[in-house]
Amino acid sequence: MTSGEAEVAATEERPTRLISGPGMLLVWLYGVMVVGAVSRSAYQIATEFDRAPLAYSLSAVAGLVYGFITYSLVRGGETARKAAQVCCAAELAGVLIVGTWTLIEPSAFPDATVWSDYGMGYIFIPVLLPLSALYWLRKAGTATATR
């Protein structure tokens, strides 16, 4: 085996790191969002689910999505990168749909979700995070393709 072949084999065995540089910040932010969304929704579902079941369920879904993206970023590799991209696109769609829905029909949500008003209750992190992550994941995929 030549040194070039050995280098290619070693690159194929090691998953692409997605948590270098800005990726580490994304992991940290998604981790914070997991804790926030899951703990908030768990408390609300356990204590007052009948008040706003849709809002609390959507917050729980958001927490699960954040958790999956965090896991994918930490795991690394091309498959995880693609899965994270799909999840981030779905997250962004959810934020835009729920955010618009809460502005058009506020009575549909007696209590706020993580994605209400495009994440205004979370300093707009829910809308900015998937945009940043999609950019980073695309850039990470381009860097992998040029190796």
Side-chain angles (χ1 to χ4, degrees), residues 18-34 65-74 81 84-85 88 91 125 127-140:
L18 299 174
I19 58 171
S20 59
M24 185 58 80
L25 178 61
L26 286 173
V27 167
W28 186 84
L29 288 170
Y30 270 113
V32 169
M33 293 303 290
V34 168
V65 169
Y66 296 146
F68 180 79
I69 294 169
T70 304
Y71 169 76
S72 296
L73 289 171
V74 170
R81 186 189 69 78
Q85 272 186 310
C88 286
E91 173 196 358
I125 291 173
V127 76
L128 296 174
L129 199 53
L131 291 170
S132 303
L134 285 168
Y135 175 77
W136 171 249
L137 291 166
R138 183 170 182 209
K139 187 176 174 185

Side-chain angles (χ1 to χ4, degrees), residues 32-50 52-66 111-115 122:
V32 169
M33 293 303 290
V34 168
V35 171
V38 169
S39 59
R40 174 184 177 171
S41 64
Y43 174 78
Q44 290 172 322
I45 288 170
T47 61
E48 51 195 11
F49 185 72
D50 58 328
L54 179 60
Y56 303 151
S57 298
L58 284 172
S59 289
V61 167
L64 293 175
V65 169
Y66 296 146
D111 204 353
T113 73
V114 174
W115 295 340
Y122 287 81

